[in-house]
Amino acid sequence: MTIAQQTRYRRSLQKTIARHSAVPNRGVIANAQLERERERYLSSHAVQSIALLDGWRRILKVPEATQRWAEAQQVPICAYDYRRFRSAPLSFFHKPRSTGGVRKICRIGDIERMWHVMARDLVVAQHRPRPHIGDWLGRGRDWQIDQIRSVLTSPRQAVVSADIVKAFASVNVAAVYDLPYLPEPLIRRVIDSRSHRFVRRERSEYAYEVHKVACNDHDGALERSPSGLLEGSPTSNAVFSVLMDDLPDQLGEGIHAFVYCDNIILIAPSMLRALQARDALARYLAGHRAGPFEIRSTVTTARVHFEHLGYSIQQRDGSPPEIGLSISGSNKLGARIDNQDVSLEETMTWLRASYGSCSRELMDTYVQRVVDEVGFRSRATA
């Protein structure tokens, strides 16, 4: 089968699973049909093959990933069985967080990544997230920024910007077993971090920053293996989004919630309501069935800019919200401008593709900045 044929077959199975999972008040027969379709999906060689390609595309350039897929097609057809799968030791490295501390990023092997891709697909096919959930199929970064733009109508509104501390590492994996989307053996052998062995490795580009963290690491956190959901897994974001699906029910009326993985924005009609919503959010996460979780949060009025997903957002009097680059986004733009190996056209393409939700006036400002600085650099070099 070609890549296109395998892709179509995979999508047809996903649609079948989605259709069966959408049946309200499923009885014994309907549950058995859904279970049968899930097993059919997981045991399909064609689905496993295209999931391998997806996994390679996450870490390799497309031509190299396609070449690996073509080589894999030459071996005899033999589907893997997740019930008998034994994971090889997973390596992990420490990546510094912009807000302090480190993330334990896991490097997942080819077959392990294939199972993670397929587990993610099953979750996405069966779960229908509520409107506040981003980082989902069809709900990318710009989609959520546009949702926030639509509810910001007054500078008197207040905004809670919250970040869950060590979100993935803090997940109690026992809660994942309670989700109705994945077979128990798949969770136990693939997703549950307690079933894996880990080997720590170094990443030279982060060595200096991690050394600084290690100097203040009094409890030996750097030496401990990853816990909770694995960072670097295609499944973790989808599972974490499912766990956050009931958040709006805990905040009261009039509070608009937006969740993008471990980043949370709450928009309230007043500062008092925002403070109440922040406290409700802290209680919800502290008592969460997959927690407890700890948050860092700030509360401001919409008149003062706040940052979310690489954007800076501000609501002024009598005008639509101003959407521009955050500090980190501006730094990324500056790094591209200073990089002589990146052309003007490449920088422009990256800017418009990565920050498509910017207000038109601010986008024009950033474009002019690129033209002026790259033009000045070109003249100086000449």
Side-chain angles (χ1 to χ4, degrees):
M1 296 175 69
T2 66
I3 291 177
Q5 290 171 330
Q6 291 182 354
T7 300
R8 285 195 295 270
Y9 182 67
R10 175 195 192 187
R11 288 175 179 170
S12 70
L13 293 184
Q14 290 172 342
K15 290 178 180 178
T16 302
I17 292 170
R19 186 172 64 253
H20 283 292
S21 66
V23 175
N25 303 318
R26 291 194 306 271
V28 175
I29 295 178
N31 281 327
Q33 290 176 331
L34 176 59
E35 180 67 21
R36 185 167 60 249
E37 292 301 330
R38 283 196 295 234
E39 290 298 319
R40 181 184 174 195
Y41 185 83
L42 289 169
S43 62
S44 167
H45 179 271
V47 174
Q48 292 180 7
S49 173
I50 204 67
L52 271 172
L53 177 60
D54 275 4
W56 284 324
R57 282 173 172 170
R58 289 174 61 91
I59 60 174
L60 304 170
K61 295 182 179 180
V62 173
E64 185 177 352
T66 305
Q67 178 62 32
R68 282 204 185 185
W69 176 87
E71 293 171 356
Q73 302 306 298
Q74 306 304 315
V75 301
I77 294 177
C78 181
Y80 295 96
D81 186 345
Y82 66 89
R83 297 180 188 85
R84 296 178 175 83
F85 171 72
R86 292 188 179 276
S87 174
L90 304 184
S91 63
F92 72 96
F93 64 93
H94 295 113
K95 180 179 180 180
R97 299 170 179 265
S98 59
T99 54
V102 297
R103 297 181 185 271
K104 296 179 185 292
I105 307 297
C106 298
R107 180 63 184 268
I108 301 174
D110 292 344
I111 305 304
E112 289 89 345
R113 192 182 305 107
M114 177 197 78
W115 287 124
H116 280 272
V117 168
M118 295 176 72
R120 177 205 62 194
D121 290 346
L122 284 178
V123 173
V124 171
Q126 297 171 83
H127 182 72
R128 287 151 188 79
R130 296 166 68 176
H132 67 285
I133 295 293
D135 195 20
W136 199 266
L137 184 65
R139 301 185 183 187
R141 196 167 59 106
D142 288 344
W143 178 88
Q144 185 160 97
I145 293 299
D146 290 340
Q147 301 302 304
I148 294 175
R149 190 204 308 263
S150 68
V151 302
L152 277 176
T153 57
S154 168
R156 292 186 294 276
Q157 291 174 294
V159 180
V160 180
S161 302
D163 172 62
I164 303 178
V165 179
K166 298 180 180 178
F168 286 0
S170 299
V171 169
N172 179 358
V173 184
V176 181
Y177 287 89
D178 295 333
L179 301 179
Y181 305 130
L182 300 173
E184 183 271 341
L186 183 64
I187 299 174
R188 176 163 41 86
R189 293 180 179 274
V190 177
I191 297 174
D192 193 336
S193 58
R194 298 170 297 184
S195 66
H196 294 291
R197 291 173 295 155
F198 294 94
V199 177
R200 179 179 170 182
R201 64 190 180 94
E202 300 294 338
R203 285 286 290 263
S204 58
E205 63 264 42
Y206 302 129
Y208 177 70
E209 289 85 352
V210 171
H211 174 73
K212 291 191 295 184
V213 175
C215 293
N216 299 318
D217 180 31
H218 302 298
D219 62 353
L222 288 180
E223 299 302 323
R224 291 198 292 269
S225 297
S227 60
L229 298 175
L230 304 180
E231 300 223 25
S233 159
T235 313
S236 297
N237 285 14
V239 170
F240 197 81
S241 294
V242 173
L243 296 174
M244 295 291 113
D245 204 54
D246 62 340
L247 171 60
D249 299 335
Q250 319 300 320
L251 303 176
E253 296 183 2
I255 306 297
H256 299 280
F258 301 92
V259 176
Y260 200 94
C261 197
D262 58 350
N263 299 295
I264 299 174
I265 295 291
L266 307 179
I267 299 179
S270 67
M271 180 61 73
L272 176 60
R273 293 293 308 281
L275 294 172
Q276 294 171 342
R278 180 195 61 183
D279 294 342
L281 173 64
R283 290 193 299 270
Y284 163 74
L285 292 174
H288 197 283
R289 67 189 188 279
F293 298 106
E294 177 188 353
I295 62 169
R296 285 186 293 257
S297 62
T298 59
V299 184
T300 63
T301 63
R303 190 189 304 273
V304 179
H305 81 90
F306 62 96
E307 295 188 354
H308 185 55
L309 305 179
Y311 285 98
S312 172
I313 308 170
Q314 186 175 17
Q315 174 63 52
R316 298 182 185 275
D317 290 318
S319 60
E322 293 182 359
I323 313 292
L325 301 185
S326 65
I327 294 174
S328 63
S330 184
N331 290 339
K332 290 178 181 178
L333 176 60
R336 283 183 169 266
I337 291 174
D338 294 338
N339 187 348
Q340 297 188 9
D341 294 331
V342 180
S343 67
L344 173 63
E345 292 75 16
E346 291 172 330
T347 302
M348 292 291 198
T349 300
W350 170 85
L351 177 62
R352 292 193 170 98
S354 300
Y355 295 97
S357 288
C358 280
S359 302
R360 179 173 300 177
E361 296 79 6
L362 290 175
M363 178 60 77
D364 291 342
T365 300
Y366 298 133
V367 168
Q368 191 59 48
R369 173 188 168 188
V370 173
V371 172
D372 291 345
E373 295 193 31
V374 172
F376 176 79
R377 186 189 71 195
S378 300
R379 291 193 298 274
T381 303

